[in-house]
Amino acid sequence: MRWGHHLPRASWGSGFRRALQRPDDRIPFLIHWSWPLQGEHPFGPPRAFIRHHGSSADSAPPSGRHGRLFPSASATEAIQRHRRNLAEWFSRLPREERQFGPTFALDTVHVDPVIRESTPDELLRPPAELALEHQPPQAGLPQLALSQLFNLDACGRRVQTVVLYGTVGTGKSTLVRKMVLDWCYGRLPAFELLIPFSCEDLSSLGPAPASLCQLVAQRYTPLKEVLPLMAAAGSHLLFVLHGLEHLNLDFRLAGTGLCSDPEEPQEPAAIIVNLLRKYMLPQASILVTTRPSAIGRIPSKYVGRYGEICGFSDTNLQKLYFQLRLNQPDCGYAVGGSGVSATPAQRDHLVQMLSRNLEGHHQIAAACFLPSYCWLVCATLHFLHAPTPAGQTLTSIYTSFLRLNFSGETLDSTDPSNLSLMAYAARTMGKLAYEGVSSRKTYFSEEDVCGCLEAGIRTEEEFQLLHIFRRDALRFFLAPCVEPGRAGTFVFTVPAMQEYLAALYIVLGLRKTTLQKVGKEVAELVGRVGEDVSLVLGIMAKLLPLRALPLLFNLIKVVPRVFGRMVGKSREAVAQAMVLEMFREEDYYNDDVLDQMGASILGVEGPRRHPDEPPEDEVFELFPMFMGGLLSAHNRAVLAQLGCPIKNLDALENAQAIKKKLGKLGRQALPPSELLDHLFFHYEFQNQRFSAEVLSSLRQLNLAGVRMTPVKCTVVAAVLGSGRHALDEVNLASCQLDPAGLHTLMPVFLRARKLGLQLNSLGPEACKDLRDLLLHDQCQITTLRLSNNPLTAAGVAVLMEGLAGNTSVTHLSLLHTGLGDEGLELLAAQLDRNRQLQELNVAYNGAGDTAALALARAAREHPSLELLHLYFNELSSEGRQVLRDLGGAAEGGARVVVSLTEGTAVSEYWSVILSEVQRNLNSWDRARVQRHLELLLRDLEDSRGATLNPWRKAQLLRVEGEVRALLEQLGSSGS
């Protein structure tokens, strides 16, 4: 899976408050990194990478630097306040960024993308047909750093206006934010005053006239007293105009008259035009950022330098970005301080795996060419491997990712329709994505892409919109395939983005058959004229003897109903396909969908195909997850901001169709990985009532073998923790659970009657959570299996505190938990504190004769205990015989199981003992198991020789055969 980075564009304006620290408190900000670049460098020679340490908010602007242009103390103080306010505003990050830790800041993780100088001739060159292939750079054009943008040009002339352009996702907003912060902290000494404008903000003012001074004073109040000095600042004054595509500029004199007075009220667009003409404040420096389609709005004669933002053109830039962001010291903490922080070793391991994948899989590196997708990689890994903030879902990450890149973006500001860029992408790219999911393919030919882009286009205006989308945003969604044998094909930049857009295409109601389109038009027409026609037919029926009129009258009423049923059938068909995709079980391998996603990012192969299986048979298990997630209220609200509203009625009808299909298939017994996918769908949907109705029939939660990461524990707890009906069994054997996972899953455990936590490496620390579980007043657990966990005697001491106050547990398994003599003696001393226990298994714990005998005697005196397992402990022959005699000494009391035999007969628990051995043969110490099996075999042989009963001999021989078979599995010949 392939992804990238983009920090949100700023909503610039007034409202700055918080002051910053003094210069003495600053942390050194710049550290230069020199990374060896391997291979060819299409955009020039290797460059120095910059890493920033510390938060912008922890730095302070320089003082005493304005004596030349702003000599008065009041002007100097005004600019200082302006610096502080800008730093405060541009240091603010959206909620999506705060998930990476409370000290996360832009300065901590910024990596400059490559900026390549270009020429007007290059801009006029016809683009590639799909605008996906980057044109090769002209020889001799250098790369540019932010500090070099206004250097002299090749002819030695001073550059006053610089235009930076880049497609969606290349990091234009991040560069502007970085440049403003650099100026705030004195790292752009060439400019004494910097004034940033958001063109989106200016376009919202409409035609209302305002002067340049008014625009500045309204947004930056401290600059009021500096405004008269702007003209004298000359080239030391820098205007930053971000997002020029939002403004419709007219450089014709007939359209925009000349004006040189900054205090003359004009339309905002006219002010920008005169600034760019160099007619107003002719000496001022101007930096413009824009999408490629809007470059031509500024005549080239007014531009001193063009720079193309090329993203991360080398994998070393991508690696540096991932290292800085994923190695945040508090990146692993959940919101509010809860959860367990990832260790430095774990974070380094993630970075190393990701780096190896970037080196070995060129398609992933091609995706991370866009910094935006680097951000998505990090956000997804953080979701998969760190404690998840409340309410965060995978769908919300993708929706937020699109909001960060497309919020407020229209396809063409000059078009009267004011069509949202995201809405256009959902209609075109969503169609391509859904067709790919439907036909089970991820590779698309140029004909496939053009067919979806050009479908339904008939007018010149529609072709113009398509041209803009190709130049500005197509590369964001599609990338040329670089895999061997796939030349000339295209793939979605991120595989999961294909499934997200396909789901969005469905929930927006954009998928319509020809019959549906015609039926809708007919139904709407009949609905509009139905009442009038009915009235006329009623009158005619009274005046004329036409018996067919009542029939026609009824048919008119039926038409809308038939169309509604047709649409409902279509939704049910989509829901059926979605559910089948969710529960699709591959014949050879199938991880749960979260593991598949993590493996695709970190380089481990996902679902494996059989060599004979067609390569086109793709897996799209995220598609149903995204469908459910997009129907949640939060994601619908964000999509509405992007111009993609999902109607409440459509959401309700889709949910009902999905519930109908899930209700049928959800009652089937599912494999553990598919069951987790089912729960993950409900987690994405974020609708407790819906989940409670669909999961009301779930009685067994079997997730054995599923690696329960923090996000999976959160998913299970969020979906099942609030249910009302009890769960007959919760099986979490061999799930790599830790104490944090136990704590998260506590609400689910409180609903369980049988709880299996075997083979989870739970130590004494986990027993504290188990103690709290047993002491909870809502605990209803009757069977608790803790076998094959290193609890030790210290853990059992804590566990006994819970058992002492528990009234529900009747069966407890502590098989192979490292208790030793100390643990069994502790159990013997405190066993009488619990009065409900019926069965206790402490087999294979390395205990000797004395401790085992003490526990057996305590068990015999226990009022409710019926069965005690002591086999596979370090017992002597005499000790086993004493325990056998104790178990059969008198009526009543607990039976003690120490061997496969009872006297000269086979123990009725022989199958229980051997099944435990068989089940744990691969995890137990082989030499130790072999020794115990040989002792059991000797007991069987002795018992067979001591009896004359042929029936008993036959039973003993049968059990001997089972033991010999186990010994053969261990590589021993047996006796």
CSV table of all heavy atoms in Angstrom, one decimal, residues 199-200 202-204 243-250 269 290-291 293-295 297 408-421 464-465 468-469 472:
chain,number,residue,atom,x,y,z
A,199,CYS,N,-5.7,33.6,-1.0
A,199,CYS,CA,-6.6,34.0,-2.2
A,199,CYS,C,-8.0,33.4,-2.0
A,199,CYS,O,-9.0,34.0,-2.5
A,199,CYS,CB,-6.0,33.5,-3.5
A,199,CYS,SG,-4.4,34.3,-3.9
A,200,GLU,N,-8.2,32.3,-1.3
A,200,GLU,CA,-9.5,31.8,-1.0
A,200,GLU,C,-10.2,32.8,-0.1
A,200,GLU,O,-11.4,33.1,-0.3
A,200,GLU,CB,-9.4,30.4,-0.3
A,200,GLU,CG,-10.7,29.8,0.0
A,200,GLU,CD,-10.6,28.5,0.8
A,200,GLU,OE1,-9.4,28.1,1.0
A,200,GLU,OE2,-11.6,27.9,1.1
A,202,LEU,N,-9.6,36.1,0.1
A,202,LEU,CA,-9.9,37.3,-0.7
A,202,LEU,C,-11.1,37.0,-1.7
A,202,LEU,O,-11.9,37.9,-1.9
A,202,LEU,CB,-8.7,37.7,-1.5
A,202,LEU,CG,-7.4,38.1,-0.7
A,202,LEU,CD1,-6.3,38.5,-1.6
A,202,LEU,CD2,-7.8,39.3,0.2
A,203,SER,N,-11.2,35.8,-2.2
A,203,SER,CA,-12.3,35.6,-3.2
A,203,SER,C,-13.6,35.6,-2.5
A,203,SER,O,-14.7,35.8,-3.1
A,203,SER,CB,-12.1,34.2,-3.9
A,203,SER,OG,-12.2,33.2,-2.9
A,204,SER,N,-13.6,35.3,-1.2
A,204,SER,CA,-14.9,35.2,-0.4
A,204,SER,C,-15.5,36.6,-0.2
A,204,SER,O,-16.6,36.8,0.1
A,204,SER,CB,-14.7,34.6,0.9
A,204,SER,OG,-13.8,35.3,1.8
A,243,GLY,N,-2.6,30.2,-3.2
A,243,GLY,CA,-3.8,29.6,-3.8
A,243,GLY,C,-4.4,30.6,-4.9
A,243,GLY,O,-5.6,30.9,-4.8
A,244,LEU,N,-3.7,31.0,-5.8
A,244,LEU,CA,-4.1,32.0,-6.8
A,244,LEU,C,-5.3,31.4,-7.6
A,244,LEU,O,-6.1,32.2,-8.2
A,244,LEU,CB,-3.0,32.3,-7.8
A,244,LEU,CG,-3.3,33.5,-8.7
A,244,LEU,CD1,-3.2,34.8,-8.0
A,244,LEU,CD2,-2.2,33.5,-9.9
A,245,GLU,N,-5.4,30.1,-7.7
A,245,GLU,CA,-6.5,29.5,-8.5
A,245,GLU,C,-7.9,29.9,-8.0
A,245,GLU,O,-8.9,29.8,-8.7
A,245,GLU,CB,-6.4,28.0,-8.6
A,245,GLU,CG,-6.6,27.3,-7.2
A,245,GLU,CD,-5.4,27.2,-6.4
A,245,GLU,OE1,-4.3,27.7,-6.8
A,245,GLU,OE2,-5.4,26.6,-5.3
A,246,HIS,N,-8.0,30.4,-6.8
A,246,HIS,CA,-9.3,30.9,-6.2
A,246,HIS,C,-9.7,32.2,-6.8
A,246,HIS,O,-10.9,32.6,-6.6
A,246,HIS,CB,-9.2,30.9,-4.7
A,246,HIS,CG,-9.1,29.6,-4.1
A,246,HIS,ND1,-10.2,28.8,-3.9
A,246,HIS,CD2,-8.0,28.9,-3.6
A,246,HIS,CE1,-9.8,27.6,-3.3
A,246,HIS,NE2,-8.4,27.7,-3.1
A,247,LEU,N,-8.8,33.0,-7.4
A,247,LEU,CA,-9.1,34.3,-7.9
A,247,LEU,C,-9.2,34.3,-9.4
A,247,LEU,O,-8.4,33.7,-10.1
A,247,LEU,CB,-8.0,35.3,-7.4
A,247,LEU,CG,-8.0,35.7,-6.0
A,247,LEU,CD1,-6.8,36.6,-5.7
A,247,LEU,CD2,-9.3,36.4,-5.6
A,248,ASN,N,-10.2,35.0,-9.9
A,248,ASN,CA,-10.4,35.2,-11.3
A,248,ASN,C,-9.8,36.6,-11.7
A,248,ASN,O,-10.4,37.6,-11.5
A,248,ASN,CB,-11.9,35.2,-11.7
A,248,ASN,CG,-12.1,35.2,-13.2
A,248,ASN,OD1,-11.1,35.0,-14.0
A,248,ASN,ND2,-13.3,35.5,-13.6
A,249,LEU,N,-8.5,36.6,-12.2
A,249,LEU,CA,-7.8,37.8,-12.5
A,249,LEU,C,-8.0,38.2,-13.9
A,249,LEU,O,-8.0,37.3,-14.8
A,249,LEU,CB,-6.3,37.6,-12.2
A,249,LEU,CG,-6.0,37.2,-10.7
A,249,LEU,CD1,-4.5,37.1,-10.6
A,249,LEU,CD2,-6.6,38.1,-9.7
A,250,ASP,N,-8.1,39.5,-14.2
A,250,ASP,CA,-8.3,40.0,-15.5
A,250,ASP,C,-7.2,41.1,-15.7
A,250,ASP,O,-7.3,42.2,-15.1
A,250,ASP,CB,-9.7,40.6,-15.7
A,250,ASP,CG,-9.9,41.0,-17.1
A,250,ASP,OD1,-9.0,40.9,-18.0
A,250,ASP,OD2,-11.1,41.4,-17.4
A,269,ALA,N,-9.6,41.4,-6.3
A,269,ALA,CA,-8.9,40.9,-7.5
A,269,ALA,C,-8.1,42.0,-8.2
A,269,ALA,O,-7.0,41.8,-8.8
A,269,ALA,CB,-9.9,40.2,-8.5
A,290,THR,N,0.1,28.3,-6.8
A,290,THR,CA,-1.1,28.1,-7.5
A,290,THR,C,-1.0,26.6,-8.1
A,290,THR,O,0.0,26.0,-8.0
A,290,THR,CB,-1.2,29.0,-8.7
A,290,THR,OG1,-2.4,28.8,-9.4
A,290,THR,CG2,0.0,28.9,-9.7
A,291,ARG,N,-2.2,26.2,-8.5
A,291,ARG,CA,-2.2,24.9,-9.2
A,291,ARG,C,-1.8,25.1,-10.7
A,291,ARG,O,-1.9,26.2,-11.2
A,291,ARG,CB,-3.6,24.3,-9.2
A,291,ARG,CG,-4.1,24.1,-7.8
A,291,ARG,CD,-5.3,23.1,-7.7
A,291,ARG,NE,-6.3,23.4,-8.6
A,291,ARG,CZ,-7.6,23.7,-8.3
A,291,ARG,NH1,-7.9,23.8,-7.0
A,291,ARG,NH2,-8.5,23.9,-9.2
A,293,SER,N,-3.1,24.6,-13.5
A,293,SER,CA,-4.1,25.1,-14.5
A,293,SER,C,-4.3,26.6,-14.4
A,293,SER,O,-4.8,27.2,-15.4
A,293,SER,CB,-5.4,24.4,-14.2
A,293,SER,OG,-5.9,24.8,-12.9
A,294,ALA,N,-3.8,27.2,-13.3
A,294,ALA,CA,-4.1,28.7,-13.2
A,294,ALA,C,-2.8,29.5,-13.4
A,294,ALA,O,-2.8,30.7,-13.2
A,294,ALA,CB,-4.6,29.0,-11.7
A,295,ILE,N,-1.7,28.8,-13.9
A,295,ILE,CA,-0.5,29.6,-14.1
A,295,ILE,C,-0.7,30.7,-15.2
A,295,ILE,O,-0.2,31.8,-15.1
A,295,ILE,CB,0.6,28.6,-14.6
A,295,ILE,CG1,1.0,27.6,-13.5
A,295,ILE,CG2,1.9,29.4,-15.0
A,295,ILE,CD1,2.0,26.6,-13.9
A,297,ARG,N,-3.0,32.6,-15.7
A,297,ARG,CA,-3.8,33.8,-15.3
A,297,ARG,C,-2.9,35.0,-15.1
A,297,ARG,O,-3.4,36.1,-15.0
A,297,ARG,CB,-4.6,33.5,-14.0
A,297,ARG,CG,-5.7,32.4,-14.3
A,297,ARG,CD,-6.6,32.2,-13.1
A,297,ARG,NE,-7.4,31.1,-13.2
A,297,ARG,CZ,-8.3,30.6,-12.3
A,297,ARG,NH1,-8.4,31.3,-11.2
A,297,ARG,NH2,-9.1,29.6,-12.6
A,408,GLY,N,-12.3,23.4,0.5
A,408,GLY,CA,-12.5,24.7,-0.1
A,408,GLY,C,-12.0,24.7,-1.6
A,408,GLY,O,-12.1,25.8,-2.2
A,409,GLU,N,-11.6,23.6,-2.2
A,409,GLU,CA,-11.1,23.6,-3.5
A,409,GLU,C,-12.2,23.5,-4.5
A,409,GLU,O,-13.0,22.5,-4.4
A,409,GLU,CB,-10.1,22.5,-3.7
A,409,GLU,CG,-8.8,22.7,-2.9
A,409,GLU,CD,-7.9,23.7,-3.5
A,409,GLU,OE1,-8.2,24.2,-4.7
A,409,GLU,OE2,-6.9,24.1,-2.9
A,410,THR,N,-12.4,24.4,-5.4
A,410,THR,CA,-13.3,24.3,-6.5
A,410,THR,C,-12.5,23.9,-7.8
A,410,THR,O,-11.3,24.2,-7.9
A,410,THR,CB,-14.1,25.6,-6.8
A,410,THR,OG1,-13.1,26.6,-7.0
A,410,THR,CG2,-14.9,25.9,-5.6
A,411,LEU,N,-13.2,23.3,-8.7
A,411,LEU,CA,-12.5,22.8,-9.9
A,411,LEU,C,-12.0,24.0,-10.7
A,411,LEU,O,-10.9,24.1,-11.2
A,411,LEU,CB,-13.4,21.9,-10.7
A,411,LEU,CG,-12.7,21.2,-11.9
A,411,LEU,CD1,-11.6,20.3,-11.5
A,411,LEU,CD2,-13.8,20.3,-12.6
A,412,ASP,N,-12.9,25.0,-10.9
A,412,ASP,CA,-12.5,26.2,-11.7
A,412,ASP,C,-13.3,27.4,-11.1
A,412,ASP,O,-14.5,27.4,-11.1
A,412,ASP,CB,-12.9,26.0,-13.2
A,412,ASP,CG,-12.5,27.2,-14.0
A,412,ASP,OD1,-11.7,28.1,-13.5
A,412,ASP,OD2,-12.9,27.2,-15.2
A,413,SER,N,-12.5,28.3,-10.5
A,413,SER,CA,-13.2,29.5,-9.9
A,413,SER,C,-13.9,30.4,-11.0
A,413,SER,O,-14.8,31.2,-10.6
A,413,SER,CB,-12.2,30.4,-9.2
A,413,SER,OG,-11.1,30.8,-10.1
A,414,THR,N,-13.5,30.2,-12.3
A,414,THR,CA,-14.2,31.0,-13.3
A,414,THR,C,-15.5,30.4,-13.8
A,414,THR,O,-16.2,31.0,-14.6
A,414,THR,CB,-13.2,31.3,-14.5
A,414,THR,OG1,-12.9,30.0,-15.1
A,414,THR,CG2,-11.9,31.9,-14.0
A,415,ASP,N,-15.7,29.2,-13.4
A,415,ASP,CA,-16.9,28.5,-13.9
A,415,ASP,C,-18.1,28.8,-13.0
A,415,ASP,O,-18.0,28.7,-11.8
A,415,ASP,CB,-16.7,26.9,-13.9
A,415,ASP,CG,-17.8,26.2,-14.5
A,415,ASP,OD1,-18.0,26.3,-15.7
A,415,ASP,OD2,-18.5,25.5,-13.7
A,416,PRO,N,-19.2,29.2,-13.6
A,416,PRO,CA,-20.4,29.6,-12.8
A,416,PRO,C,-20.9,28.4,-11.9
A,416,PRO,O,-21.5,28.7,-10.8
A,416,PRO,CB,-21.5,30.0,-13.8
A,416,PRO,CG,-20.7,30.2,-15.1
A,416,PRO,CD,-19.5,29.4,-15.0
A,417,SER,N,-20.7,27.2,-12.3
A,417,SER,CA,-21.2,26.1,-11.5
A,417,SER,C,-20.5,25.9,-10.1
A,417,SER,O,-21.1,25.3,-9.2
A,417,SER,CB,-21.1,24.8,-12.3
A,417,SER,OG,-19.7,24.4,-12.5
A,418,ASN,N,-19.3,26.5,-10.0
A,418,ASN,CA,-18.6,26.4,-8.8
A,418,ASN,C,-18.5,25.0,-8.2
A,418,ASN,O,-18.7,24.7,-7.1
A,418,ASN,CB,-19.2,27.3,-7.7
A,418,ASN,CG,-18.2,27.8,-6.7
A,418,ASN,OD1,-17.0,27.9,-6.9
A,418,ASN,ND2,-18.7,28.0,-5.4
A,419,LEU,N,-18.2,24.1,-9.2
A,419,LEU,CA,-18.2,22.7,-8.8
A,419,LEU,C,-17.0,22.3,-7.9
A,419,LEU,O,-15.8,22.7,-8.2
A,419,LEU,CB,-18.1,21.8,-10.1
A,419,LEU,CG,-18.1,20.3,-10.0
A,419,LEU,CD1,-19.4,19.8,-9.3
A,419,LEU,CD2,-17.9,19.7,-11.3
A,420,SER,N,-17.3,21.6,-6.9
A,420,SER,CA,-16.2,21.1,-5.9
A,420,SER,C,-15.3,20.2,-6.6
A,420,SER,O,-15.7,19.3,-7.4
A,420,SER,CB,-16.9,20.4,-4.7
A,420,SER,OG,-15.9,19.6,-4.0
A,421,LEU,N,-14.0,20.4,-6.4
A,421,LEU,CA,-13.0,19.5,-7.0
A,421,LEU,C,-13.1,18.1,-6.5
A,421,LEU,O,-13.0,17.1,-7.3
A,421,LEU,CB,-11.6,20.0,-6.6
A,421,LEU,CG,-10.4,19.2,-7.2
A,421,LEU,CD1,-10.5,19.1,-8.7
A,421,LEU,CD2,-9.1,19.9,-6.8
A,464,GLN,N,-13.4,21.8,-20.7
A,464,GLN,CA,-12.5,22.7,-20.0
A,464,GLN,C,-12.3,22.2,-18.6
A,464,GLN,O,-11.2,22.2,-18.0
A,464,GLN,CB,-13.0,24.1,-20.1
A,464,GLN,CG,-12.2,25.1,-19.3
A,464,GLN,CD,-10.8,25.3,-19.9
A,464,GLN,OE1,-10.6,25.0,-21.0
A,464,GLN,NE2,-9.9,25.7,-19.1
A,465,LEU,N,-13.4,21.8,-17.9
A,465,LEU,CA,-13.3,21.3,-16.6
A,465,LEU,C,-12.4,20.0,-16.5
A,465,LEU,O,-11.6,19.8,-15.6
A,465,LEU,CB,-14.7,21.0,-16.0
A,465,LEU,CG,-15.6,22.2,-15.7
A,465,LEU,CD1,-16.9,21.8,-15.2
A,465,LEU,CD2,-14.9,23.2,-14.8
A,468,ILE,N,-8.8,20.9,-16.7
A,468,ILE,CA,-8.3,21.4,-15.4
A,468,ILE,C,-8.0,20.3,-14.5
A,468,ILE,O,-7.0,20.2,-13.8
A,468,ILE,CB,-9.2,22.4,-14.9
A,468,ILE,CG1,-9.3,23.7,-15.7
A,468,ILE,CG2,-8.9,22.8,-13.4
A,468,ILE,CD1,-10.3,24.7,-15.3
A,469,PHE,N,-9.0,19.3,-14.4
A,469,PHE,CA,-8.8,18.2,-13.5
A,469,PHE,C,-7.6,17.4,-13.9
A,469,PHE,O,-6.9,16.9,-13.0
A,469,PHE,CB,-10.1,17.3,-13.5
A,469,PHE,CG,-10.0,16.2,-12.6
A,469,PHE,CD1,-10.2,16.3,-11.3
A,469,PHE,CD2,-9.8,14.9,-13.1
A,469,PHE,CE1,-10.2,15.2,-10.4
A,469,PHE,CE2,-9.7,13.8,-12.3
A,469,PHE,CZ,-9.9,14.0,-10.9
A,472,ASP,N,-4.5,19.3,-12.7
A,472,ASP,CA,-4.3,19.7,-11.3
A,472,ASP,C,-4.4,18.5,-10.3
A,472,ASP,O,-3.8,18.5,-9.3
A,472,ASP,CB,-5.4,20.7,-10.9
A,472,ASP,CG,-5.1,22.0,-11.5
A,472,ASP,OD1,-4.1,22.2,-12.1
A,472,ASP,OD2,-6.0,22.9,-11.4
